[in-house]
């Protein structure tokens, strides 16, 4: 079954909650891996599930202003590493995803999404005119930085990816220390309308990654939670 | 046990993976709730777990440039609703979180984080000088829009929140259709250094929320995943 056949029918899906302590345990287990076990690969079915989890990420209006570029080619990975302060995760992780975003949101992007809604839900595009107009008004309004908006949406997907990986026992490292312009060049994004935003590497921690032993540092609850 | 006592010891925590199909099922179940059951509240222990999951969200350098403002006061919720295009979720959801971010990242923010690292890990601040300098160089570099950076980090936390809620069987609706300046005023953020970025409401879907029956719309896998 293709992704689209399998995943477009939420009606009737029942949630199977997990224990809160189970969720928190796996989130505590997560950390930003500094050294991956270069010999250990994520099983294909687990990786596919992570891809699907990421595709499920919500976005403003559902517009999904992103592409997820999965780079397996070792030569490209090596070039990307050079555009990433030579950080070892870029080549040593089992998988690497470049989270790219729309450089700019256009009415064509809205139209493409409206067509997709009509297709998935089996409705006439004309029935979506009001929704299309709302979105177009949003996308094209004066002083709206749609590139920055798209960047923020990508970070929702990043959060979904990192959390989902932790639930599946897959280690990750989100990476902002990259040269996005060089990435765009290496990945050939040139005229695609998409630009590099952020990277995530995934795989399994090396046994000797000292960072795995560090205590997680979070501010006191009283410093991040405000109750009104 | 306080949050900080309980959560700062990842060393030795074992991951307990869940089945991929279980993860995907709960993500399929999730949708942006339009109409909450106003009579149904999230149990306090479940809500606490969601707070803790969100506090665990990763951020660039671990700097956590955010505050999570949980608004329970009905009068404030009513005012926020008026600053949110009168969307019903703002008052009808069991819980409402305003994800606020640093307006601007300063060296004081870096220092505060360095002090916290020293405290949690039991090391001298002086041993963190190099790390501090790296972060300060990042935070204060020319042409760096630290407010936009902080906004993106907040969206990671939003992604963690939404995914975690889905794992716990809690319904949510992320909401960008708000007036952030009015929110700042209502919440009294004035001189705190934090500004409103985005909102999430959480609770349980109303039995008659028609949106729960809509098919989830995602682009074809071939349109969002690129393989290199």
């Amino acid at each position: 079954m293709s992704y689209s056949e399998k995943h477009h029918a939420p009606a009737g899906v029942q949630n199977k909650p997990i224990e809160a302590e189970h969720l928190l345990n796996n989130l505590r287990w997560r950390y930003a891996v500094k050294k991956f076990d270069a010999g250990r690969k994520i099983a294909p079915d687990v990786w596919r599930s992570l891809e699907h989890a990421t595709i499920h990420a919500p976005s403003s209006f559902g517009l999904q202003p992103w592409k997820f570029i999965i780079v397996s080619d070792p030569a490209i990975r090596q070039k990307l590493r050079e555009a990433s302060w030579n950080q070892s995760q870029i080549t040593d992780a089992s998988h690497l995803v470049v989270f790219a975003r729309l450089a700019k949101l256009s009415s064509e992007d809205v139209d493409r999404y409206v067509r997709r809604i009509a297709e998935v839900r089996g409705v006439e595009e004309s029935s979506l005119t009001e929704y299309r107009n709302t979105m177009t008004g949003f996308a094209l309004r004066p002083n709206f930085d749609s590139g920055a908006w798209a960047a923020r949406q990508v970070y929702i997907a990043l959060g979904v990816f990192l959390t989902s990986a932790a639930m599946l026992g897959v280690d990750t490292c989100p990476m902002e220390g990259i040269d996005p312009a060089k990435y765009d060049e290496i990945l050939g994004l040139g005229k695609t309308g998409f630009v590099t935003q952020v990277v995530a590497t995934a795989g399994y921690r090396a046994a000797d990654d000292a960072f795995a032993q560090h205590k997680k540092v979070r501010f006191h609850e009283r410093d991040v939670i405000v109750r009104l």
Side-chain angles (χ1 to χ4, degrees), chain A residues 3 8 55-66 102 105-136 138-139 149 153 194:
Chain A
Y3 170 79
H8 288 292
I55 292 174
H56 271 84
S59 55
S60 185
F61 290 112
L63 278 162
Q64 312 159 65
W66 50 48
L102 279 177
L105 181 65
S106 70
S107 59
E108 286 72 26
D109 298 307
V110 172
D111 290 345
R112 188 168 71 100
Y113 176 50
V114 169
R115 281 196 301 276
R116 184 66 177 146
I117 300 174
E119 182 183 23
V120 169
R121 296 195 173 148
V123 298
E124 292 296 324
E125 276 187 52
S126 58
S127 74
L128 299 164
T129 300
E130 193 183 338
Y131 192 49
R132 182 206 304 257
N133 291 344
T134 301
M135 291 190 285
T136 306
F138 167 82
W149 165 86
Q153 306 308 312
F194 289 85

